[in-house]
């Protein structure tokens, strides 16, 4: 039996969102680390909540302070793939938060190719596009250097 994460990912019918990152990148020639956060409120528990995510080049995904997944999604030099997650069990009535710790190594190494900084994410609730990466996401850049 094939593992769920290995099956082919189908993108949502109504594809929304943009590739986002901190603007402008503080260290464009070096590895960059950015924290993203998006809060939203639900009036009831959804029957189905789906999330798609892709990042150049690594991410850790948290929903309501619980670590849910990490990436990168498998990709090659010319295509970015998305990871699909059913997040229904993680959402609650009232306030919810999605947090993503993202970083771009910004160099070619260990199978990673140098790519522009970028994060894309879309959340559908009960088969309706609710939100995706846009200017509403809060972001904060961090350095990875030891002082």
């Amino acid at each position: 039996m094939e593992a769920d994460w290995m099956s082919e990912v189908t993108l949502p019918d109504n594809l929304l969102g943009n590739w986002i990152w901190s603007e402008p990148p503080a260290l464009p020639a070096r590895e960059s680390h950015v924290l993203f956060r998006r809060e939203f409120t639900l009036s009831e528990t959804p029957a189905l909540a789906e999330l798609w995510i892709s990042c150049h080049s690594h991410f850790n995904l948290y929903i309501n302070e619980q670590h849910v997944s990490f990436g990168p999604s498998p990709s090659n030099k010319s295509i970015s793939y998305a990871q699909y997650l059913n997040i229904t069990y993680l959402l609650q009535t009232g306030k919810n938060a999605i947090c993503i710790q993202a970083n771009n190594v910004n160099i070619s190494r260990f199978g990673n190719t140098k790519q522009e900084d970028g994060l894309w994410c879309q959340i559908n609730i009960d088969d309706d596009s609710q939100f995706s990466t846009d200017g509403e996401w809060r972001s904060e850049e961090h350095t990875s250097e030891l002082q």
Side-chain angles (χ1 to χ4, degrees):
M1 177 180 215
E2 188 174 88
D4 210 22
W5 59 270
M6 292 175 67
S7 61
E8 185 175 318
V9 173
T10 302
L11 292 173
D13 291 333
N14 186 16
L15 196 59
L16 302 173
N18 300 303
W19 286 92
I20 62 171
W21 206 256
S22 62
E23 295 290 336
L27 303 169
R30 304 180 101 174
E31 185 169 352
S32 60
H33 294 257
V34 181
L35 301 175
F36 295 94
R37 182 177 180 89
R38 177 73 155 79
E39 296 178 352
F40 59 100
T41 303
L42 295 174
S43 58
E44 61 185 16
T45 305
L48 178 63
E50 301 172 292
L51 179 144
W52 292 264
I53 184 169
S54 188
C55 183
H56 298 160
S57 50
H58 299 95
F59 71 87
N60 280 286
L61 171 67
Y62 300 84
I63 298 177
N64 294 329
E65 299 181 12
Q66 183 176 344
H67 187 256
V68 177
S69 186
F70 62 93
S73 300
S75 63
N76 64 29
K77 294 179 183 179
S78 61
I79 298 173
S80 293
Y81 291 101
Q83 187 177 113
Y84 167 81
L85 298 159
N86 181 329
I87 60 169
T88 308
Y89 72 100
L90 296 162
L91 300 183
Q92 59 199 13
T93 301
K95 186 178 175 182
N96 291 271
I98 295 177
C99 301
I100 301 168
Q101 176 189 25
N103 79 294
N104 187 356
V105 295
N106 217 6
I107 60 171
S108 295
R109 67 176 179 193
F110 305 115
N112 290 325
T113 58
K114 186 174 181 176
Q115 297 177 325
E116 275 188 53
D117 299 334
L119 170 71
W120 173 81
C121 182
Q122 180 170 330
I123 292 86
N124 287 7
I125 296 178
D126 294 330
D127 293 323
D128 184 31
S129 302
Q130 292 297 308
F131 58 90
S132 55
T133 42
D134 59 18
E136 297 295 313
W137 288 67
R138 293 187 345 211
S139 66
E140 182 176 331
E141 189 153 356
H142 288 271
T143 180
S144 62
E145 296 177 5
L146 297 175
Q147 301 296 325

